[in-house]
Coordinates of all heavy atoms in Angstrom, one line a residue:
K1 N 3.9 16.1 8.3 CA 3.0 17.2 8.2 C 3.7 18.3 7.4 O 4.9 18.5 7.6 CB 2.7 17.7 9.6 CG 1.7 18.8 9.6 CD 1.2 19.1 10.9 CE 0.0 20.2 10.8 NZ -0.6 20.4 12.0
D2 N 3.0 18.9 6.5 CA 3.6 20.0 5.7 C 4.8 19.7 4.8 O 5.8 20.4 4.8 CB 3.9 21.3 6.5 CG 2.6 21.8 7.2 OD1 1.5 21.7 6.6 OD2 2.7 22.3 8.3
T3 N 4.8 18.5 4.2 CA 5.9 18.0 3.4 C 5.3 17.3 2.2 O 4.3 16.7 2.2 CB 6.9 17.1 4.1 OG1 7.9 16.7 3.3 CG2 6.2 15.9 4.7
N4 N 6.1 17.3 1.1 CA 5.7 16.5 -0.1 C 6.4 15.2 -0.1 O 6.2 14.4 -1.0 CB 6.1 17.3 -1.4 CG 5.2 18.5 -1.7 OD1 4.1 18.5 -1.3 ND2 5.8 19.5 -2.3
N5 N 7.2 14.9 0.9 CA 7.9 13.6 1.0 C 7.6 13.0 2.4 O 8.6 12.9 3.2 CB 9.3 13.8 0.7 CG 9.6 14.2 -0.7 OD1 9.2 13.5 -1.6 ND2 10.3 15.3 -0.9
P6 N 6.4 12.7 2.8 CA 6.2 12.2 4.1 C 6.7 10.8 4.4 O 6.9 10.0 3.5 CB 4.6 12.2 4.2 CG 4.2 11.9 2.7 CD 5.2 12.7 1.9
T7 N 7.0 10.6 5.6 CA 7.4 9.3 6.1 C 6.5 8.8 7.1 O 6.3 9.5 8.2 CB 8.8 9.4 6.7 OG1 9.8 9.8 5.7 CG2 9.3 8.0 7.2
W8 N 5.8 7.7 6.9 CA 4.8 7.2 7.8 C 5.4 6.2 8.8 O 5.0 6.1 10.0 CB 3.6 6.6 7.1 CG 2.7 7.6 6.5 CD1 1.9 8.5 7.1 CD2 2.6 7.9 5.0 NE1 1.3 9.3 6.1 CE2 1.7 8.9 4.9 CE3 3.3 7.3 3.9 CZ2 1.4 9.4 3.7 CZ3 2.8 7.8 2.7 CH2 1.9 8.8 2.6
N9 N 6.2 5.2 8.3 CA 6.8 4.2 9.1 C 5.7 3.5 9.9 O 5.8 3.3 11.1 CB 8.0 4.7 10.0 CG 9.2 5.1 9.2 OD1 9.5 4.4 8.3 ND2 9.8 6.1 9.7
Q10 N 4.7 3.1 9.2 CA 3.6 2.5 9.9 C 3.7 0.9 9.7 O 4.1 0.5 8.6 CB 2.2 2.9 9.3 CG 2.0 4.4 9.6 CD 1.6 4.6 11.1 OE1 0.8 3.8 11.7 NE2 2.1 5.6 11.6
K11 N 3.3 0.1 10.7 CA 3.3 -1.3 10.6 C 1.9 -1.8 10.8 O 1.3 -1.4 11.8 CB 4.2 -1.9 11.6 CG 4.3 -3.4 11.5 CD 5.3 -4.0 12.5 CE 5.4 -5.4 12.4 NZ 6.4 -6.0 13.3
F12 N 1.4 -2.6 9.9 CA 0.0 -3.1 10.0 C 0.1 -4.7 10.0 O 0.9 -5.2 9.2 CB -0.8 -2.7 8.8 CG -1.0 -1.1 8.8 CD1 -0.2 -0.4 7.9 CD2 -1.9 -0.5 9.6 CE1 -0.3 0.9 7.8 CE2 -2.1 0.9 9.5 CZ -1.2 1.6 8.7
T13 N -0.8 -5.3 10.7 CA -0.9 -6.7 10.7 C -2.3 -7.1 10.3 O -3.3 -6.6 10.8 CB -0.6 -7.3 12.1 OG1 0.7 -7.0 12.5 CG2 -0.7 -8.9 12.1
F14 N -2.4 -8.0 9.3 CA -3.7 -8.4 8.8 C -3.8 -10.0 8.9 O -2.9 -10.6 8.5 CB -3.9 -8.0 7.3 CG -3.8 -6.6 7.0 CD1 -2.7 -6.0 6.5 CD2 -4.9 -5.7 7.2 CE1 -2.6 -4.6 6.2 CE2 -4.8 -4.4 7.0 CZ -3.7 -3.8 6.5
N15 N -5.0 -10.4 9.2 CA -5.3 -11.8 9.1 C -6.0 -12.0 7.8 O -7.1 -11.5 7.6 CB -6.1 -12.3 10.3 CG -5.4 -12.2 11.6 OD1 -4.2 -12.6 11.6 ND2 -6.0 -11.7 12.6
L16 N -5.4 -12.7 6.9 CA -6.0 -12.8 5.5 C -6.7 -14.2 5.4 O -6.3 -15.2 5.9 CB -4.8 -12.8 4.4 CG -4.1 -11.5 4.5 CD1 -2.9 -11.6 3.5 CD2 -4.9 -10.3 4.1
Q17 N -7.8 -14.1 4.6 CA -8.5 -15.3 4.3 C -7.8 -16.0 3.1 O -7.1 -15.4 2.4 CB -9.9 -15.0 3.8 CG -10.7 -14.3 5.0 CD -10.9 -15.1 6.2 OE1 -11.1 -16.3 6.1 NE2 -10.8 -14.5 7.3
N18 N -7.9 -17.3 2.9 CA -7.3 -18.1 1.8 C -7.6 -17.5 0.5 O -6.8 -17.6 -0.5 CB -7.7 -19.6 1.9 CG -7.0 -20.2 3.0 OD1 -6.0 -19.8 3.6 ND2 -7.6 -21.4 3.4
K19 N -8.8 -16.9 0.3 CA -9.2 -16.5 -1.1 C -8.9 -15.0 -1.2 O -9.3 -14.5 -2.3 CB -10.7 -16.7 -1.2 CG -11.0 -18.2 -1.2 CD -12.5 -18.4 -1.4 CE -12.8 -20.0 -1.4 NZ -14.1 -20.3 -1.7
T20 N -8.1 -14.3 -0.4 CA -7.8 -12.9 -0.6 C -6.8 -12.9 -1.7 O -5.8 -13.5 -1.8 CB -7.1 -12.4 0.7 OG1 -8.1 -12.5 1.7 CG2 -6.8 -10.9 0.5
D21 N -7.1 -12.0 -2.8 CA -6.3 -11.9 -4.0 C -5.5 -10.7 -3.9 O -4.3 -10.6 -4.4 CB -7.1 -11.9 -5.2 CG -7.8 -13.3 -5.5 OD1 -7.3 -14.3 -5.0 OD2 -8.9 -13.3 -6.1
Y22 N -6.0 -9.5 -3.5 CA -5.3 -8.2 -3.6 C -5.3 -7.4 -2.2 O -6.2 -7.6 -1.5 CB -6.1 -7.4 -4.6 CG -6.0 -8.0 -6.0 CD1 -7.0 -8.7 -6.5 CD2 -4.8 -7.7 -6.8 CE1 -7.0 -9.2 -7.8 CE2 -4.8 -8.1 -8.1 CZ -5.8 -8.9 -8.6 OH -5.7 -9.4 -9.8
L23 N -4.3 -6.7 -2.1 CA -4.2 -5.7 -1.0 C -4.5 -4.3 -1.7 O -3.7 -4.0 -2.6 CB -2.9 -5.7 -0.3 CG -2.7 -4.6 0.7 CD1 -3.7 -4.8 1.9 CD2 -1.2 -4.6 1.2
H24 N -5.5 -3.6 -1.4 CA -5.9 -2.3 -1.9 C -5.3 -1.3 -1.0 O -5.5 -1.3 0.2 CB -7.4 -2.2 -2.1 CG -8.0 -3.2 -3.0 ND1 -8.2 -2.9 -4.3 CD2 -8.4 -4.5 -2.8 CE1 -8.7 -4.0 -4.9 NE2 -8.9 -4.9 -4.0
L25 N -4.5 -0.3 -1.6 CA -4.0 0.8 -0.9 C -4.7 2.1 -1.4 O -4.7 2.4 -2.6 CB -2.5 0.9 -1.2 CG -1.7 -0.3 -0.9 CD1 -0.2 -0.2 -1.5 CD2 -1.6 -0.6 0.5
H26 N -5.1 2.9 -0.4 CA -5.7 4.1 -0.7 C -5.0 5.2 0.2 O -5.0 5.0 1.4 CB -7.2 4.2 -0.3 CG -8.0 3.2 -1.1 ND1 -8.4 3.4 -2.4 CD2 -8.4 1.9 -0.8 CE1 -9.1 2.3 -2.8 NE2 -9.1 1.4 -1.8
V27 N -4.3 6.1 -0.4 CA -3.4 7.1 0.2 C -4.0 8.5 0.1 O -4.4 8.9 -0.9 CB -2.0 7.1 -0.4 CG1 -1.0 8.0 0.3 CG2 -1.4 5.6 -0.5
Y28 N -4.1 9.1 1.3 CA -4.6 10.4 1.4 C -3.7 11.3 2.1 O -2.9 10.9 3.0 CB -5.9 10.4 2.3 CG -7.1 9.6 1.7 CD1 -7.1 8.2 1.9 CD2 -7.9 10.2 0.8 CE1 -8.1 7.4 1.4 CE2 -9.0 9.4 0.2 CZ -9.0 8.0 0.5 OH -10.1 7.3 0.0
D29 N -3.8 12.7 1.8 CA -3.0 13.6 2.6 C -3.8 14.0 3.8 O -5.0 13.8 3.8 CB -2.5 14.8 1.8 CG -3.6 15.7 1.4 OD1 -4.8 15.5 1.7 OD2 -3.3 16.8 0.8
D30 N -3.2 14.7 4.7 CA -3.9 15.1 6.0 C -3.9 16.7 6.0 O -2.9 17.3 6.3 CB -3.2 14.5 7.2 CG -4.0 14.7 8.4 OD1 -5.2 15.1 8.3 OD2 -3.4 14.6 9.6
D31 N -5.0 17.2 5.7 CA -5.1 18.7 5.8 C -5.9 19.1 7.0 O -6.7 18.4 7.6 CB -5.8 19.2 4.5 CG -5.0 19.1 3.3 OD1 -3.7 19.1 3.3 OD2 -5.5 18.9 2.1
A32 N -5.8 20.4 7.3 CA -6.5 20.9 8.5 C -8.0 21.0 8.1 O -8.9 20.8 8.9 CB -6.1 22.3 8.8
M33 N -8.4 21.1 6.8 CA -9.7 21.1 6.4 C -10.1 19.8 5.6 O -10.6 19.9 4.5 CB -9.9 22.3 5.5 CG -9.7 23.6 6.2 SD -10.7 23.9 7.7 CE -12.3 24.2 6.9
G34 N -9.8 18.7 6.1 CA -10.2 17.5 5.4 C -9.0 16.7 4.9 O -7.9 16.9 5.3
R35 N -9.2 15.9 3.9 CA -8.2 15.1 3.3 C -8.4 15.0 1.9 O -9.6 14.9 1.3 CB -8.1 13.7 3.9 CG -9.3 12.8 3.7 CD -9.1 11.5 4.5 NE -10.2 10.6 4.0 CZ -10.3 9.3 4.4 NH1 -9.4 8.9 5.2 NH2 -11.3 8.6 4.0
D36 N -7.3 14.9 1.0 CA -7.4 14.8 -0.4 C -6.7 13.4 -0.8 O -5.7 13.1 -0.2 CB -6.6 15.9 -1.1 CG -7.2 17.3 -0.7 OD1 -8.4 17.4 -0.7 OD2 -6.4 18.2 -0.4
S37 N -7.3 12.8 -1.8 CA -6.7 11.6 -2.3 C -5.4 11.8 -3.0 O -5.3 12.7 -3.9 CB -7.7 10.8 -3.2 OG -7.1 9.7 -3.8
I38 N -4.4 11.1 -2.6 CA -3.1 11.2 -3.4 C -3.1 10.1 -4.5 O -2.6 10.3 -5.5 CB -1.9 11.0 -2.4 CG1 -1.8 12.1 -1.4 CG2 -0.6 10.7 -3.1 CD1 -0.8 11.9 -0.3
G39 N -3.8 9.0 -4.2 CA -3.9 8.0 -5.2 C -4.1 6.6 -4.6 O -4.2 6.5 -3.4
S40 N -4.3 5.6 -5.4 CA -4.5 4.3 -4.9 C -3.9 3.3 -5.8 O -3.6 3.5 -7.0 CB -6.1 3.9 -4.8 OG -6.7 4.1 -6.1
A41 N -3.7 2.1 -5.3 CA -3.1 1.0 -6.1 C -3.5 -0.3 -5.4 O -4.1 -0.3 -4.4 CB -1.6 1.2 -6.1
K42 N -3.2 -1.4 -6.1 CA -3.5 -2.7 -5.6 C -2.3 -3.6 -5.8 O -1.6 -3.5 -6.9 CB -4.8 -3.3 -6.0 CG -4.9 -3.7 -7.5 CD -6.3 -4.2 -7.9 CE -6.3 -4.6 -9.3 NZ -7.6 -5.2 -9.6
I43 N -2.0 -4.5 -4.9 CA -1.0 -5.5 -5.0 C -1.5 -6.8 -5.1 O -2.4 -7.2 -4.3 CB 0.0 -5.4 -3.8 CG1 0.6 -4.0 -3.7 CG2 1.0 -6.5 -3.9 CD1 1.4 -3.7 -2.5
D44 N -1.1 -7.6 -6.1 CA -1.6 -8.9 -6.3 C -0.9 -9.8 -5.3 O 0.3 -10.2 -5.5 CB -1.4 -9.4 -7.8 CG -1.9 -10.7 -8.1 OD1 -2.1 -11.6 -7.2 OD2 -2.2 -11.0 -9.3
L45 N -1.6 -10.3 -4.3 CA -0.9 -11.1 -3.3 C -0.6 -12.5 -3.7 O 0.5 -13.0 -3.4 CB -1.9 -11.2 -2.0 CG -2.2 -9.8 -1.3 CD1 -3.3 -10.1 -0.3 CD2 -1.0 -9.3 -0.7
K46 N -1.4 -13.1 -4.5 CA -1.0 -14.4 -5.0 C 0.2 -14.4 -5.9 O 1.0 -15.3 -5.9 CB -2.2 -15.0 -5.9 CG -3.4 -15.4 -4.9 CD -4.5 -16.1 -5.7 CE -5.6 -16.4 -4.7 NZ -6.7 -17.1 -5.4
K47 N 0.4 -13.3 -6.7 CA 1.5 -13.2 -7.6 C 2.8 -12.8 -6.9 O 3.9 -13.3 -7.2 CB 1.2 -12.3 -8.7 CG 2.3 -12.1 -9.7 CD 1.9 -11.1 -10.8 CE 3.0 -11.0 -11.9 NZ 2.6 -10.0 -12.9
H48 N 2.7 -11.9 -6.0 CA 3.9 -11.2 -5.4 C 4.2 -11.6 -4.0 O 5.3 -11.3 -3.5 CB 3.8 -9.7 -5.5 CG 3.7 -9.2 -6.9 ND1 4.7 -9.2 -7.8 CD2 2.7 -8.6 -7.6 CE1 4.3 -8.7 -9.0 NE2 3.1 -8.3 -8.9
V49 N 3.3 -12.1 -3.2 CA 3.4 -12.1 -1.8 C 3.4 -13.6 -1.2 O 4.3 -14.1 -0.7 CB 2.4 -11.3 -1.0 CG1 2.6 -11.5 0.5 CG2 2.6 -9.9 -1.4
F50 N 2.2 -14.3 -1.5 CA 2.1 -15.7 -1.0 C 3.2 -16.6 -1.5 O 3.5 -16.6 -2.7 CB 0.7 -16.2 -1.4 CG -0.4 -15.4 -0.7 CD1 -1.6 -15.4 -1.4 CD2 -0.3 -14.9 0.5 CE1 -2.7 -14.7 -0.8 CE2 -1.3 -14.2 1.1 CZ -2.6 -14.1 0.4
G51 N 3.8 -17.3 -0.6 CA 4.9 -18.2 -1.0 C 6.3 -17.6 -1.2 O 7.2 -18.2 -1.6
K52 N 6.4 -16.3 -1.0 CA 7.6 -15.6 -1.2 C 8.1 -15.1 0.2 O 7.4 -15.1 1.2 CB 7.4 -14.3 -2.0 CG 6.7 -14.5 -3.3 CD 7.6 -14.9 -4.4 CE 7.1 -14.8 -5.8 NZ 6.0 -15.6 -6.1
E53 N 9.3 -14.8 0.3 CA 9.9 -14.4 1.6 C 9.5 -13.0 2.0 O 9.1 -12.7 3.1 CB 11.4 -14.5 1.6 CG 12.1 -14.2 2.9 CD 13.6 -14.4 2.8 OE1 14.0 -15.4 2.2 OE2 14.3 -13.5 3.3
C54 N 9.6 -12.1 1.0 CA 9.3 -10.7 1.2 C 9.0 -9.9 0.0 O 9.6 -10.2 -1.1 CB 10.5 -10.1 2.0 SG 10.2 -8.3 2.4
Y55 N 8.0 -9.1 0.0 CA 7.6 -8.1 -1.1 C 8.2 -6.7 -0.7 O 7.8 -6.3 0.4 CB 6.2 -8.1 -1.4 CG 5.7 -7.1 -2.4 CD1 5.8 -7.4 -3.7 CD2 5.2 -5.9 -2.0 CE1 5.4 -6.5 -4.7 CE2 4.8 -5.0 -3.0 CZ 4.9 -5.3 -4.3 OH 4.4 -4.4 -5.2
N56 N 9.1 -6.2 -1.5 CA 9.7 -4.9 -1.2 C 9.7 -4.2 -2.5 O 10.5 -4.4 -3.3 CB 11.0 -5.1 -0.6 CG 11.7 -3.9 -0.1 OD1 11.3 -2.8 -0.5 ND2 12.7 -4.0 0.7
A57 N 8.8 -3.2 -2.6 CA 8.7 -2.4 -3.8 C 8.2 -1.0 -3.6 O 7.5 -0.7 -2.7 CB 7.8 -3.1 -4.8
W58 N 8.6 -0.1 -4.6 CA 7.9 1.2 -4.7 C 6.7 1.1 -5.6 O 6.9 0.7 -6.7 CB 8.9 2.2 -5.2 CG 9.9 2.7 -4.2 CD1 11.2 2.1 -3.9 CD2 9.8 3.7 -3.2 NE1 11.8 2.7 -2.8 CE2 10.9 3.7 -2.4 CE3 8.8 4.6 -2.9 CZ2 11.1 4.6 -1.4 CZ3 8.9 5.5 -1.9 CH2 10.1 5.5 -1.2
V59 N 5.5 1.3 -5.0 CA 4.3 1.2 -5.8 C 3.9 2.6 -6.3 O 3.7 3.5 -5.5 CB 3.2 0.6 -4.9 CG1 1.9 0.4 -5.7 CG2 3.7 -0.8 -4.4
T60 N 3.7 2.7 -7.6 CA 3.3 4.0 -8.2 C 1.8 4.2 -7.9 O 1.0 3.3 -8.0 CB 3.5 4.0 -9.7 OG1 4.9 3.8 -9.9 CG2 3.1 5.3 -10.3
L61 N 1.5 5.4 -7.5 CA 0.1 5.8 -7.3 C -0.4 6.4 -8.6 O 0.0 7.5 -8.9 CB 0.0 6.8 -6.1 CG 0.5 6.2 -4.8 CD1 0.6 7.3 -3.7 CD2 -0.4 5.0 -4.3
P62 N -1.1 5.7 -9.4 CA -1.5 6.1 -10.8 C -2.2 7.4 -10.8 O -2.9 7.8 -9.9 CB -2.4 5.0 -11.3 CG -2.2 3.8 -10.3 CD -1.7 4.4 -9.1
S63 N -2.0 8.1 -11.9 CA -2.7 9.3 -12.1 C -4.2 9.1 -12.2 O -4.6 8.1 -12.7 CB -2.2 10.1 -13.3 OG -2.4 9.3 -14.5
M64 N -5.0 10.1 -11.8 CA -6.4 10.0 -11.8 C -7.0 11.2 -12.7 O -6.5 12.3 -12.6 CB -7.0 10.0 -10.5 CG -6.5 8.9 -9.6 SD -7.0 9.0 -7.9 CE -8.7 8.6 -8.1
L65 N -8.0 11.0 -13.5 CA -8.7 12.0 -14.2 C -7.8 12.9 -15.1 O -7.9 14.1 -15.2 CB -9.4 13.0 -13.2 CG -10.5 12.3 -12.3 CD1 -11.0 13.3 -11.3 CD2 -11.6 11.7 -13.1
G66 N -6.8 12.2 -15.7 CA -5.9 12.9 -16.6 C -4.8 13.7 -15.9 O -4.0 14.3 -16.6
L67 N -4.7 13.6 -14.6 CA -3.6 14.3 -13.9 C -2.4 13.5 -13.9 O -2.5 12.3 -14.0 CB -4.0 14.7 -12.5 CG -5.3 15.5 -12.3 CD1 -5.7 15.6 -10.9 CD2 -5.1 16.9 -12.9
R68 N -1.2 14.1 -13.7 CA 0.0 13.3 -13.7 C 0.1 12.5 -12.3 O -0.6 12.9 -11.4 CB 1.2 14.2 -13.8 CG 1.5 15.2 -12.7 CD 2.7 16.0 -13.0 NE 3.0 17.0 -11.9 CZ 3.8 16.6 -10.9 NH1 4.4 15.5 -10.9 NH2 4.0 17.5 -10.0
S69 N 0.9 11.5 -12.3 CA 1.0 10.7 -11.1 C 1.4 11.6 -9.9 O 2.3 12.5 -10.0 CB 2.0 9.6 -11.3 OG 2.3 8.9 -10.1
K70 N 0.9 11.3 -8.7 CA 1.1 12.1 -7.6 C 2.3 11.4 -6.7 O 2.5 11.9 -5.6 CB -0.1 12.3 -6.7 CG -1.1 13.2 -7.4 CD -2.3 13.5 -6.5 CE -3.2 14.5 -7.2 NZ -4.3 14.8 -6.3
G71 N 2.9 10.4 -7.2 CA 4.0 9.8 -6.4 C 3.9 8.3 -6.3 O 3.3 7.7 -7.1
E72 N 4.6 7.8 -5.3 CA 4.7 6.4 -5.0 C 4.8 6.2 -3.6 O 5.2 7.1 -2.8 CB 5.9 5.8 -5.8 CG 7.2 6.5 -5.7 CD 8.2 6.0 -6.6 OE1 7.9 5.3 -7.6 OE2 9.4 6.3 -6.4
I73 N 4.6 5.0 -3.2 CA 4.6 4.6 -1.8 C 5.5 3.3 -1.7 O 5.4 2.4 -2.5 CB 3.2 4.4 -1.2 CG1 3.3 4.1 0.3 CG2 2.5 3.3 -1.9 CD1 2.0 4.2 1.0
H74 N 6.4 3.3 -0.7 CA 7.3 2.1 -0.5 C 6.5 1.1 0.4 O 6.1 1.5 1.5 CB 8.6 2.6 0.2 CG 9.6 1.5 0.3 ND1 10.6 1.5 1.3 CD2 9.8 0.4 -0.4 CE1 11.3 0.4 1.1 NE2 10.9 -0.3 0.1
V75 N 6.4 0.0 -0.1 CA 5.6 -1.1 0.6 C 6.5 -2.3 0.8 O 7.1 -2.8 -0.1 CB 4.3 -1.5 -0.2 CG1 3.6 -2.6 0.5 CG2 3.5 -0.3 -0.4
I76 N 6.5 -2.8 2.1 CA 7.2 -4.0 2.4 C 6.2 -4.9 3.0 O 5.5 -4.6 4.0 CB 8.4 -3.8 3.4 CG1 9.4 -2.8 2.8 CG2 9.1 -5.1 3.8 CD1 10.4 -2.4 3.7
I77 N 6.0 -6.1 2.5 CA 5.1 -7.2 3.0 C 5.8 -8.4 3.3 O 6.5 -9.0 2.5 CB 4.0 -7.4 2.0 CG1 3.2 -6.1 1.6 CG2 3.0 -8.5 2.5 CD1 2.2 -6.3 0.5
K78 N 5.6 -8.9 4.5 CA 6.2 -10.2 4.9 C 5.0 -11.1 5.3 O 4.1 -10.8 6.0 CB 7.0 -10.1 6.2 CG 8.3 -9.3 5.8 CD 9.2 -9.1 7.0 CE 10.4 -8.3 6.6 NZ 11.3 -8.1 7.8
H79 N 4.9 -12.2 4.6 CA 3.7 -13.1 4.8 C 4.2 -14.3 5.7 O 5.2 -14.9 5.4 CB 3.3 -13.6 3.4 CG 2.1 -14.6 3.5 ND1 2.4 -16.0 3.2 CD2 0.9 -14.5 4.0 CE1 1.2 -16.6 3.4 NE2 0.3 -15.8 3.8
H80 N 3.4 -14.5 6.7 CA 3.6 -15.6 7.6 C 2.4 -16.5 7.7 O 1.3 -16.0 7.8 CB 4.0 -15.2 9.0 CG 5.1 -14.2 9.1 ND1 6.5 -14.6 9.1 CD2 5.2 -12.8 9.1 CE1 7.2 -13.5 9.1 NE2 6.5 -12.5 9.1
T81 N 2.6 -17.8 7.6 CA 1.5 -18.7 7.8 C 1.5 -19.1 9.2 O 2.4 -19.3 9.8 CB 1.6 -19.9 6.8 OG1 2.8 -20.6 7.1 CG2 1.5 -19.6 5.4
K82 N 0.2 -19.4 9.7 CA 0.1 -19.9 11.1 C 0.3 -21.4 11.1 O 0.0 -22.1 10.2 CB -1.3 -19.7 11.6 CG -1.7 -18.2 11.8 CD -3.0 -18.1 12.5 CE -3.3 -16.7 12.9 NZ -4.5 -16.5 13.6
N83 N 1.0 -21.8 12.1 CA 1.3 -23.2 12.4 C 0.3 -23.9 13.1 O -0.4 -23.4 13.9 CB 2.7 -23.4 13.0 CG 3.8 -22.9 12.1 OD1 3.7 -23.0 11.0 ND2 4.8 -22.5 12.8

């Protein structure tokens, strides 16, 4: 709260379908009067995640409407298959 360098340290678990190609990230700030979009990005799961041990990268949140980039988000993805 009230910082330009937030730390979320959130962990999410998703059950993915075989045909899932991308993970879409939409990042918003949290204001007292609503929320503003910081940016969005997508990660190609077939290229970077499936069959790999770990995806660990800083993902740039691209600029929108001619504005400069508003930052990046550190994403770590571990893919596990069910036995």
Side-chain angles (χ1 to χ4, degrees):
K1 188 171 182 168
D2 297 327
T3 180
N4 287 331
N5 296 303
T7 301
W8 288 288
N9 287 326
Q10 294 288 317
K11 181 178 181 178
F12 301 96
T13 301
F14 299 100
N15 292 317
L16 301 174
Q17 302 296 324
N18 287 338
K19 296 182 180 183
T20 302
D21 293 333
Y22 294 96
L23 174 65
H24 296 265
L25 304 171
H26 301 279
V27 181
Y28 298 88
D29 72 357
D30 186 18
D31 292 329
M33 300 298 290
R35 63 183 190 173
D36 299 317
S37 176
I38 294 174
S40 62
K42 66 181 179 179
I43 298 170
D44 185 336
L45 296 173
K46 288 184 178 180
K47 180 178 180 184
H48 297 295
V49 177
F50 296 145
K52 309 272 194 303
E53 185 174 318
C54 182
Y55 174 82
N56 184 342
W58 283 92
V59 178
T60 300
L61 300 171
S63 59
M64 300 172 72
L65 303 173
L67 302 173
R68 67 181 183 91
S69 174
K70 293 186 178 181
E72 51 190 13
I73 185 169
H74 187 206
V75 177
I76 300 171
I77 301 173
K78 295 180 181 177
H79 176 247
H80 304 280
T81 56
K82 288 186 176 184
N83 293 333

